[in-house]
Amino acid sequence: MPFHSFLPHFLARQFKTPSTADRPEVVIPLEHAQRHHSVVEKAEKDGEKGLTPGDLEKRESSDDNGSDDVRRGSVAAYDIHTIEGLRSEIDGDITAFGLNNSAYDRMSLSTGSPPISCISCIPYLYWANAIGNSVTWLIDIWFVGKSKIINKAIQDMGMGRYQWELFVLCGFGWFADNFWLQGVALTLPQLSLEFGYSSTHTRFTTFALFIGLCLGASFWGTASDVLGRRLAFNTTLFIGALFGTAVGGGNTWIAVCALFSCLGLGIGGNLPVDGALFLEFLPFASGNLLTLLSIWWPVGSLVASMIAWGLIPNYACNFDDYTSSCRLTGGSPPTCCGKSNNMGWRYFTYTLGAITFMQWILRFIVFQMYESPKFLLSRGRQNEAVAVVQGLAYKNKTQTWLTEEVLNEVGGYPEGRNDTKLSAFEVVRRSAGKFSTQRINPLFAHWKLGLTTGLLWFCWFCIGMGYPLFNAFIVQYLGGGSSDTYITYRNYAITNVVGVPGSLLAYYTVNIKYIGRKGTMAVGTLITGIFLFIFTTSTNSDFQLAFSSLVTFFQNIMYGVLYAYTPEVFPAPNRGTGTGIASMLNRVGGFCAPLIAIYAADADPKVPIYVSGALMLASFVAMCALPLETRGKQTL
């Protein structure tokens, strides 16, 4: 008897393996299904031309021979409500990617690189094994075809309740990431006062957080490809809530740093996992919602700044009233700054921890999370993948034509695939073995995908260093123009209010022709870099407020699109690994930032901001060189 049978229903459902027998009432025959309007319109256009999608391959070959025989009138229009019609759709999609072999056979090519005819299918080259001087490329057409069938099924159902709930719950991951990053920044002045360290020295607190964030991003990103998206989704916020609440009880600065680092182990996994998970449940027509998901990032910062504004100035040692720490003087409050008269930052972290814990409850207890069908499919568990799509239809109060029979008829029967049941030890051994370069090699399968991967990782590293060089210490920068704690935290709250519309603007521009994802994030990054340099030209508090607000606005455009673009360019079997490494490099850059801020600031306090601006401009150049634009493209 499975262990989850002993749990209450609201917990047991999180561990239950789905089955196609669970929701038979949502399944309808393909001939009775209501297909998405884009499918209908494409079929009508092809019908007018007398073409099926499968004729694309014939047309390409006939073009080479100078013939136009198959272009018009020679083939009847296909019926989108039949197996043959659906197969034609999938054939056409795969042919459009340059795969000229059977759509349901595995193609193995022993060459030094993929053939010219297959260059555009590079995102689906997800396994490569070097043998001596030769490389064997394996294109798993089985996965490509069946992923597209699942895409079609989700597209025909459209956006529904489940995806909108997932939008909110995945948004909690974005929210928590910036929520806690800014939370640390907001506590730095009070940590300096209470524990008696210089404002420069306390920046090591941010360094400690980024160590945890880096390890968390690396582990959870790869774990989501090996163990599944659902485990990471249900665990990361709990770890963050647990250690985030504990931070407020730290009685020494070292203890506070250690707890912030443990917090990062959980929070660091949110971005690589949540974006990939949301993308894999998203209908193609609603793909720009992945960009809108990033609005939770500035909202997290905004909420943290508002809470800090209400709590910290009212329960804090003020620089004007206390110039020494009780730890240094041996005195006791109120003659010096100690725990009892500096509780504001502790109340602040308790509040942040409680909010994160409530978010975890909504994720794990209230919401029934399905495993990603793309992950299940990549593991050969297609019955469960179909069951998830049927469960999605049930949640959305709609119906689906997808069954395992349809999947096999159109995508091919999984003969020869290894579905052997493994012992628990063997599962652990194989899972551990997958944390290897075998998961990274496919991201460099060809120069185009390899260049995209390299440039993206470079951008994540540079922005990961440049963003906290300014934002993680912005309270200290703003405080340089005013000694009033209340004014400092008020200005920081205003900065975050102005920044929120940046994500909304990005949501609109990513689908504009000739701008798209690349143009939007490149322009946002360029303007961010320019305004960072302008920020350093004056110490006037109003001037700094204006330009810190502008920097935040364009940063949100940049980050919003970057977070959406990254999982879009990686194929599902390696999406968690690709985004996880990107997030890890972002964190590696992040924990380098405090070192620069600490040691470079001794020479000139403006140097960290100069470096931040230069890194943004370097990222802008790399974004302009990205070879792939994902606007209007389906993902696997």
Side-chain angles (χ1 to χ4, degrees):
M1 184 177 292
F3 82 94
H4 61 73
S5 60
F6 299 100
L7 298 174
H9 173 70
F10 65 87
L11 291 178
R13 64 183 183 174
Q14 299 290 356
F15 302 98
K16 182 181 177 182
T17 300
S19 169
T20 52
D22 293 341
R23 304 294 180 194
E25 69 274 15
V26 304
V27 179
I28 58 172
L30 181 59
E31 58 265 25
H32 298 156
Q34 183 174 353
R35 304 299 308 280
H36 191 266
H37 66 83
S38 62
V39 176
V40 177
E41 291 169 2
K42 187 176 186 302
E44 289 174 350
K45 289 179 181 178
D46 288 344
E48 292 172 3
K49 298 176 181 179
L51 291 172
T52 70
D55 290 322
L56 290 173
E57 183 179 351
K58 297 178 184 178
R59 185 174 68 184
E60 289 173 358
S61 62
S62 66
D63 285 345
D64 294 337
N65 298 325
S67 172
D68 197 37
D69 291 341
V70 299
R71 285 186 182 273
R72 297 185 183 275
S74 60
V75 182
Y78 61 96
D79 187 349
I80 60 175
H81 296 95
T82 65
I83 292 292
E84 292 73 18
L86 183 59
R87 185 180 293 121
S88 292
E89 289 180 54
I90 303 303
D91 276 345
D93 285 348
I94 293 179
T95 300
F97 282 105
L99 299 180
N100 296 324
N101 286 37
S102 168
Y104 315 114
D105 295 329
R106 181 175 290 185
M107 179 171 64
S108 182
L109 303 165
S110 296
T111 59
S113 62
I116 297 299
S117 64
C118 197
I119 286 178
S120 57
C121 71
I122 287 163
Y124 316 122
L125 288 163
Y126 71 83
W127 182 86
N129 183 32
I131 305 173
N133 294 324
S134 66
V135 177
T136 298
W137 300 97
L138 186 65
I139 305 171
D140 196 338
I141 311 301
W142 185 91
F143 175 79
V144 175
K146 295 199 174 187
S147 290
K148 287 188 171 293
I149 296 167
I150 287 178
N151 281 346
K152 297 282 186 185
I154 294 176
Q155 175 75 345
D156 286 348
M157 284 189 288
M159 282 291 291
R161 174 185 171 184
Y162 185 88
Q163 283 100 337
W164 286 116
E165 289 178 349
L166 197 61
F167 174 82
V168 174
L169 296 174
C170 286
F172 287 166
W174 259 261
F175 179 96
D177 190 272
N178 210 21
F179 191 57
W180 282 104
L181 177 60
Q182 301 308 317
V184 173
L186 289 160
T187 62
L188 292 181
Q190 304 311 313
L191 293 178
S192 178
L193 280 172
E194 181 174 329
F195 295 117
Y197 295 98
S198 68
S199 60
T200 302
H201 192 80
T202 52
R203 293 177 180 180
F204 278 112
T205 311
T206 305
F207 178 78
L209 173 69
F210 271 97
I211 291 176
L213 290 173
C214 178
L215 295 175
S218 178
F219 173 77
W220 289 114
T222 306
S224 69
D225 281 342
V226 175
L227 305 175
R229 322 290 199 223
R230 183 166 63 174
L231 175 66
F233 183 82
N234 286 331
T235 305
T236 52
L237 283 183
F238 176 76
I239 296 173
L242 180 66
F243 288 103
T245 305
V247 165
N251 289 319
T252 66
W253 178 64
I254 297 298
V256 170
C257 289
L259 290 168
F260 271 132
S261 190
C262 293
L263 158 79
L265 292 173
I267 297 301
N270 283 314
L271 296 183
V273 174
D274 295 356
L277 180 67
F278 184 60
L279 177 65
E280 290 168 6
F281 279 103
L282 200 60
F284 170 65
S286 304
N288 57 343
L289 283 176
L290 189 61
T291 301
L292 186 62
L293 186 67
S294 65
I295 197 172
W296 289 93
W297 170 270
V299 169
S301 179
L302 173 61
V303 172
S305 65
M306 290 296 185
I307 295 171
W309 185 17
L311 289 176
I312 295 180
N314 294 316
Y315 302 95
C317 302
N318 195 300
F319 286 96
D320 293 337
D321 301 327
Y322 305 97
T323 57
S324 59
S325 164
C326 295
R327 188 186 70 85
L328 297 177
T329 64
S332 60
T335 59
C336 55
C337 186
K339 180 176 180 179
S340 62
N341 61 348
N342 194 42
M343 287 295 292
W345 73 269
R346 298 176 189 272
Y347 295 150
F348 174 62
T349 57
Y350 292 148
T351 305
L352 267 58
I355 292 173
T356 307
F357 188 70
M358 290 301 299
Q359 291 174 331
W360 173 77
I361 290 176
L362 290 174
R363 274 191 176 190
F364 185 66
I365 297 178
V366 177
F367 182 71
Q368 182 182 3
M369 178 65 209
Y370 293 125
E371 183 55 89
S372 161
K374 302 287 184 65
F375 168 79
L376 294 170
L377 195 62
S378 71
R379 290 292 171 270
R381 296 155 60 184
Q382 70 170 25
N383 180 276
E384 294 176 47
V386 172
V388 166
V389 176
Q390 293 177 2
L392 185 62
Y394 177 80
K395 284 282 188 181
N396 289 348
K397 293 182 170 29
T398 186
Q399 295 174 309
T400 181
W401 46 261
L402 185 67
T403 63
E404 195 168 11
E405 291 72 24
V406 171
L407 196 61
N408 287 333
E409 283 289 328
V410 179
Y413 286 86
E415 288 141 358
R417 297 186 71 88
N418 184 10
D419 294 325
T420 305
K421 299 297 181 182
L422 304 175
S423 66
F425 174 78
E426 185 66 14
V427 169
V428 172
R429 189 184 69 82
R430 289 193 178 192
S431 295
K434 289 176 182 176
F435 286 87
S436 66
T437 56
Q438 189 182 38
R439 305 213 63 83
I440 301 175
N441 288 341
L443 301 176
F444 295 89
H446 186 268
W447 74 267
K448 203 169 189 179
L449 182 60
L451 179 61
T452 300
T453 300
L455 289 174
L456 264 182
W457 287 353
F458 173 79
C459 290
W460 278 100
F461 176 79
C462 289
I463 292 172
M465 188 186 299
Y467 181 87
L469 273 173
F470 181 73
N471 292 75
F473 312 111
I474 188 173
V475 177
Q476 293 179 329
Y477 297 146
L478 292 174
S482 172
S483 61
D484 190 320
T485 303
Y486 179 86
I487 295 297
T488 298
Y489 284 97
R490 184 207 66 183
N491 286 355
Y492 183 70
I494 293 172
T495 294
N496 284 283
V497 171
V498 174
V500 171
S503 294
L504 296 175
L505 179 61
Y507 170 72
Y508 172 74
T509 58
V510 290
N511 280 329
I512 296 177
K513 193 174 182 181
Y514 305 121
I515 298 178
R517 270 70 160 163
K518 288 169 53 180
T520 301
M521 65 181 174
V523 171
T525 306
L526 173 64
I527 298 176
T528 297
I530 293 172
F531 283 162
L532 281 168
F533 283 105
I534 296 176
F535 177 87
T536 64
T537 61
S538 174
T539 58
N540 178 272
S541 62
D542 292 334
F543 179 90
Q544 289 187 332
L545 172 61
F547 278 94
S548 63
S549 298
L550 289 170
V551 166
T552 303
F553 178 85
F554 287 101
Q555 275 180 342
N556 289 338
I557 294 176
M558 169 194 71
Y559 250 133
V561 184
L562 185 62
Y563 277 124
Y565 177 83
T566 301
E568 287 179 340
V569 298
F570 295 131
N574 303 90
R575 183 171 292 138
T577 301
T579 56
I581 292 175
S583 187
M584 181 198 70
L585 291 171
N586 183 264
R587 306 311 188 184
V588 169
F591 75 69
C592 292
L595 300 179
I596 296 172
I598 291 166
Y599 296 111
D602 289 339
D604 184 347
K606 296 179 181 179
V607 167
I609 305 177
Y610 293 149
V611 175
S612 177
L615 289 167
M616 293 299 172
L617 295 180
S619 298
F620 161 73
V621 174
M623 288 173 182
C624 292
L626 286 168
L628 296 177
E629 170 59 68
T630 59
R631 185 186 70 86
K633 306 290 178 61
Q634 280 196 5
T635 59
L636 286 190

